[in-house]
Amino acid sequence: MNSLWDEKDAQPLADDPLALRVYSSRLLGQEPSLVLHGGGNTSVKADAVNLFGETESLIYVKGSGWDLATIEKAGFAPVRLDVLLKMARLPSLSDTDMVTAQRAAMLDPYAPNPSVEAILHAIIPFAFVDHTHADAVVTISNTPDGEARLQEIYGEQVLILPYIMPGFVLAKQVFAMTASVNWSQLQGIVLLGHGIFTFADSARESYERMISLVSQAERFLAEYAKPPVADAVAQPVNSLQLAAVRAAVSQVRGGPVLAQIDNSAIVAGFAGRDDVAEVATRGPLTPDHVIRTKRTPLLLGDDDEPAAVVAAYGEAYRTYFERHCTPGLRCLDQAPRWGLWADRGAIAFGTTVSECTIIADIGRHTMQAIAQAESLGGWQALPEQDIFELEYWELEQAKLKKGGSAPEFRGRIALVTGAASGIGEACVHALLAHGAVVAALDINPAVTTMFDSASVFGVVCDMTDAGCVQQAVDACVRHFGGLDIVISNAGCFPLSHHIERMPADIWQQSMELNLTSHQRLLQYATPYLKLGIEPAVVIMASKNVPAPGPGAAAYSVAKAGLTQLARVAALELGGDGIRVNVLHPNAVFDTAIWSEEVLVKRAASYGLSVEAYKKNNVLGCEVTSRHVAEMACAMAGPLFACTTGAQLPLDGGNDRVI
């Protein structure tokens, strides 16, 4: 590991300790093998003048909820140092009371809660303190002779302490064990099974001590540990089986989740280990990971029935809880957060893409550590009781009581066709706003880049090509894990032609895109919708179904057929809990089909000017793509939970529909 310190960047910050603290914290945060997604914490001690002109000694410590990779000054909580030092001398203190006391000692009441390790930072008598969960250090720690190996690596320059749970008891232990320590002879502290601290009176020295000590551990692993197998070839993923796993996990969790699979060579190789069921279930890399991943992953074999395997996982988790629970604890949901699928890879189960990404990253780091530790004599995670105590920490239980509402579509997976413009594009944005992830399909290649969100999976798809449609649906499932909502929107409005002069290709084009493509989409999506969570289909038809206009036979007939298709689908799929409803928009002028040429011709067919044609409804209002999109979301949501086969106009009260 190399130092990223750049004196040209640091020098302008020399007179501002907190600015330097931000700078070096970010250097640590951008290295995943040191900290992952909010892990680790840093601090700096400095004086500040209060409201009364008095100088106070403060410690600025990383605040809860901030990530070192992106932290700013506002992410550090300013706490009165003397209060924290007094707290360290208390004989006992609950972590809940500790958090309250730390908050009461803050100079700024609007700052985030200080780290639960703030007292530990305070008792280390140096200006800058850095703490990481360095993979290399913890990997060595989690072996049978881990403490002896670390002592061999570091000698007297590092104090090695046994694992104890974070919070007041950890601070109290370090306070007692360092009472007679000559701090000037130490460069760091290793907490077995947890991580490493470094410290100094300069930001650079503390940071570079961290890099140096972790590099020593990395060199040890490079010399004595075998790297993970990287030449495995992942077996193909069965999309229907993946959707079934996701459905089972969602049921046990009590709400929809995504199921994102990583089938890279290293991950697939680990999942294919002969001893994977034994080594992968010993516990997490560090105890704090249990909050994200639970203690063990789900294990899936080729012939396993997903519902049975997930149910068995849930029963085992309940037994684990009952084995260690104490009065007043509330059992968390029993669903896995990640799984290992034999020879295929790892699956992350989360309600958002961000949660899945975090779980997947932690899983990859854990697998690498296990593989290396096994070659050093065996992977040895902390005892189950220690993991349970952190998973059911009083501070974590307090978060459950606060609760909070989630967006109604969080964890649900939607597919939208014709997504690169007009109503389809508006539907993508509306679904995102309601918390869904979206596979956005369109023939326009821009669909792959136009949505700046990891929650959108853009797929180029010609909806008139059956093979392309099938591949797109399959790609959606493999990307997100399943399918819950389909908004079948793709279509075109041919130029006006009276029946007697209708070109054959115009008629065929309309039938193919406005009718047949929707049938194919339903055909390919239905097996996955049957495994979906509150599955719903919204068909985008037209006001031309109940009120056709002259010169629009190709369009009106196709949309009428589409409406009839939806009615039959509602009958056929209702037994599987799949709702199918129809929207009939009229005159949505902010869509691509309403070119100036089309507008002129349609207005002329009614003997109206373009402006009069645009306002030709009872309410005299303009119906926009956003209105249609919000109604599509409503139809896919709980408001229409008991409705199927319905047809709803969105037309401002068009008199020909009424």
Side-chain angles (χ1 to χ4, degrees), residues 83-119:
V83 176
L84 294 178
L85 294 175
K86 287 178 182 177
M87 289 169 65
R89 294 180 172 85
L90 292 174
S92 63
L93 186 67
S94 74
D95 286 330
T96 299
D97 289 341
M98 178 192 72
V99 169
T100 300
Q102 287 182 172
R103 184 144 196 91
M106 287 168 53
L107 192 67
D108 178 3
Y110 301 105
N113 279 332
S115 164
V116 294
E117 289 165 343
I119 297 175

Side-chain angles (χ1 to χ4, degrees), residues 33 42 80 117 177 191 198 228 389:
S33 63
T42 58
R80 292 177 175 89
E117 289 165 343
M177 296 188 72
L191 304 175
T198 57
E389 286 178 359

Side-chain angles (χ1 to χ4, degrees), residues 317-337:
Y317 183 86
R318 185 76 198 189
T319 301
Y320 155 77
F321 173 78
E322 292 171 351
R323 196 158 54 238
H324 300 289
C325 71
T326 56
L329 289 183
R330 168 185 163 189
C331 187
L332 303 172
D333 73 81
Q334 291 109 60
R337 294 303 188 265

